[in-house]
Amino acid sequence: MKKTILTTALLLFVAVCVAVMLFKDNRGLSIEATETMAPATVSQTGLVAYYFHGTARCVTCRKIESYAQQALTEAFPNEIEEGVLTWRPINVEEPENQHFIEDFALSTKSVVLVRYQEGTQSEWKNLDQIWTLTGDETAFKSYIQTETQAFLEAL
């Protein structure tokens, strides 16, 4: 009897701890387009940084989105304000967005940079190191910023 009560109490304690950790990790990581971001339209010439995700989103997926958006807004505020750089989170599970899976050979949640020249897509790159760098915010942001800078320089 004592063993059953102790086991139940320990399981309840673990469940509460897990719930608290998940709540803490999810606070503040919901990303919405802000008023300082350029509209979600592609200008004649510019760069779009897409974050492709699904409907179900884990803590790491939300962290990737948050870090990527922060990296761009911290390093390129003028480019965003001028509409040269646009941030676009896209749910590829929505029917109208499923074409992106084939367009960019997506196999998982991804950050993809797409350069447009005179209204036509001219080049794109899937930033495939995001998953390995998620545990190091500074390295993650540096990677996003370096790759974005290289794309902007070619405009």
Side-chain angles (χ1 to χ4, degrees), residues 51-73:
Y51 173 59
F52 294 110
H53 62 83
T55 303
R57 301 173 67 196
C58 67
V59 172
T60 303
C61 297
R62 291 183 183 276
K63 188 181 289 187
I64 288 170
E65 181 177 0
S66 177
Y67 286 176
Q69 182 182 16
Q70 290 171 21
L72 296 172
T73 57

Side-chain angles (χ1 to χ4, degrees), residues 3 10-11 31 34-35 40 59 77 94 116 119 122 129 138 145:
K3 190 174 186 179
L10 285 173
L11 288 174
I31 304 299
T34 64
E35 292 179 345
V59 172
E94 293 176 1
Y116 291 88
S122 63
Q129 292 181 34
T138 302
Q145 291 166 347

Side-chain angles (χ1 to χ4, degrees), residues 20-30 59 62 66:
V20 168
M21 286 180 4
L22 289 174
F23 175 76
K24 279 183 163 183
D25 282 346
N26 281 323
R27 286 186 307 168
L29 292 180
S30 177
V59 172
R62 291 183 183 276
S66 177

Side-chain angles (χ1 to χ4, degrees), residues 49-54 57 60-62 64-65 68 87-91 109-112 130-131:
Y50 291 100
Y51 173 59
F52 294 110
H53 62 83
R57 301 173 67 196
T60 303
C61 297
R62 291 183 183 276
I64 288 170
E65 181 177 0
W87 168 250
R88 292 190 66 191
I90 302 283
N91 182 344
K109 284 79 175 171
S110 303
V111 174
V112 177
I130 60 170
W131 284 96

Side-chain angles (χ1 to χ4, degrees), residues 11-155:
L11 288 174
L12 182 60
F13 175 74
V14 169
V16 169
C17 289
V18 168
V20 168
M21 286 180 4
L22 289 174
F23 175 76
K24 279 183 163 183
D25 282 346
N26 281 323
R27 286 186 307 168
L29 292 180
S30 177
I31 304 299
E32 300 292 330
T34 64
E35 292 179 345
T36 61
M37 300 298 283
T41 57
V42 177
S43 63
Q44 289 292 355
T45 299
L47 177 63
V48 178
Y50 291 100
Y51 173 59
F52 294 110
H53 62 83
T55 303
R57 301 173 67 196
C58 67
V59 172
T60 303
C61 297
R62 291 183 183 276
K63 188 181 289 187
I64 288 170
E65 181 177 0
S66 177
Y67 286 176
Q69 182 182 16
Q70 290 171 21
L72 296 172
T73 57
E74 290 168 5
F76 308 104
N78 296 333
E79 291 83 351
I80 292 168
E81 186 175 318
E82 294 166 3
V84 173
L85 173 60
T86 303
W87 168 250
R88 292 190 66 191
I90 302 283
N91 182 344
V92 295
E93 291 182 14
E94 293 176 1
E96 66 272 16
N97 297 329
Q98 290 181 347
H99 67 91
F100 287 112
I101 295 169
E102 188 174 315
D103 295 349
F104 300 117
L106 303 175
S107 60
T108 189
K109 284 79 175 171
S110 303
V111 174
V112 177
L113 300 177
V114 182
R115 183 181 305 120
Y116 291 88
Q117 298 282 344
E118 299 178 16
T120 304
Q121 179 182 310
S122 63
E123 184 180 2
W124 63 273
K125 182 175 184 179
N126 187 336
L127 304 185
D128 56 4
Q129 292 181 34
I130 60 170
W131 284 96
T132 58
L133 296 173
T134 302
D136 184 343
E137 182 178 356
T138 302
F140 182 100
K141 288 180 175 180
S142 177
Y143 172 60
I144 296 287
Q145 291 166 347
T146 300
E147 295 292 337
T148 301
Q149 184 62 45
F151 261 63
L152 287 169
E153 287 173 359
L155 286 178

